[in-house]
Amino acid sequence: NAGVTQTPKFQVLKTGQSMTLQCAQDMNHEYMSWYRQDPGMGLRLIHYSVGAGITDQGEVPNGYNVSRSTTEDFPLRLLSAAPSQTSVYFCASSSRDREAFFGQGTRLTVV
Amino acid sequence: KQEVTQIPAALSVPEGENLVLNCSFTDSAIYNLQWFRQDPGKGLTSLLLIQSSQREQTSGRLNASLDKSSGRSTLYIAASQPGDSATYLCAVTKSYDKVIFGPGTSLSVIP
C-alpha cells in the first residue's frame, strides 16, 4: 500500500530558485494538505484542498502555490526560495471525519 | 485563537510502566482531536481520532479521552515498551483550515 508519497525526500536550493514538491495519494481521499514543521514552531498548515479544482490558504501560505488538477496529486510550488523556507514539509490526505495519513516528508534547505 | 499545549514536553519511563500524556486546547468548539506518533526523521502516524461527540477511543494498549468542556485530552499508554519511544502529537480540528498541532511530547521508554 503506497498511501501518501512525497518526492523528493531531500532538496537543497539556492535563494531565488523555484521548485515543486510532489505529493500523491492512492486512497481516493478528497482532502489533501501541506504542512511545514520547524523546531519550536511545530506543524503549521500552508495550503489545503477539499477536492479536485478547489484549494485554499492555511496559516502560512506566503511564498507557496498549490493546484489540485486530480484527486491523487497535490503539488506545492515554491516560487522564489528564501532561507526562511528551510523546513521539513509534510503532505497529508484524509476523507471527511476520518484519520489523516501523512507522507514521509521532504527536507528542504535553502542556502 | 486556538492554542494547543502538551505536557510534559519530554518523558522518560522504564519499560512496563503505564503512562499518561496530556493535551490541552483553549477553544472547546472543536470538530475532532487526533493523536499522532512521529519517529525521528519520519512522517506522522495516526494513532487515534476522537470526534467531538465522543468521549474516548481505544486501540490496543492505547486509550485516548476527550473532555471538550475542560479543553483536555489524554493519551494513556499501558505497559509501555521500548518501541513506543517517539514524539506524540495531538492535533485539534475546528474546521478543515483550522488544524492546530501541539508541540509534542518526546517519550523515551528505557529497557
Side-chain angles (χ1 to χ4, degrees), chain A residues 2-6 23-25 27 29 33-37 43-45 88-94 99-105, chain B residues 34-38 42-47 89 91 96 99 101:
Chain A
V4 179
T5 302
Q6 288 184 237
C23 176
Q25 53 95 4
M27 297 170 283
H29 287 165
S33 52
W34 277 101
Y35 295 85
R36 59 179 290 175
Q37 187 174 34
L43 278 145
R44 293 178 291 169
L45 183 64
V88 181
Y89 292 85
F90 289 102
C91 178
S93 75
S94 66
E99 64 187 313
F101 290 82
F102 278 73
Q104 291 299 296
Chain B
Q34 195 163 354
W35 282 94
F36 293 89
R37 167 188 174 134
Q38 185 174 29
K42 303 293 186 182
L44 280 69
T45 301
S46 177
L47 297 174
L89 298 145
Y96 192 71
V99 181
F101 279 83

Side-chain angles (χ1 to χ4, degrees), chain B residues 5-6 8-9 12 14 22 38 40 48-49 58 61 63 65-66 71 73 84 86 91 93 97 103 108-109:
Chain B
T5 56
Q6 290 186 245
S12 182
N22 298 289
Q38 185 174 29
L48 291 164
L49 171 69
T58 299
R61 296 182 293 109
N63 175 276
S65 67
L66 175 64
S73 176
D84 294 330
T93 301
D97 62 333
S108 177
V109 181

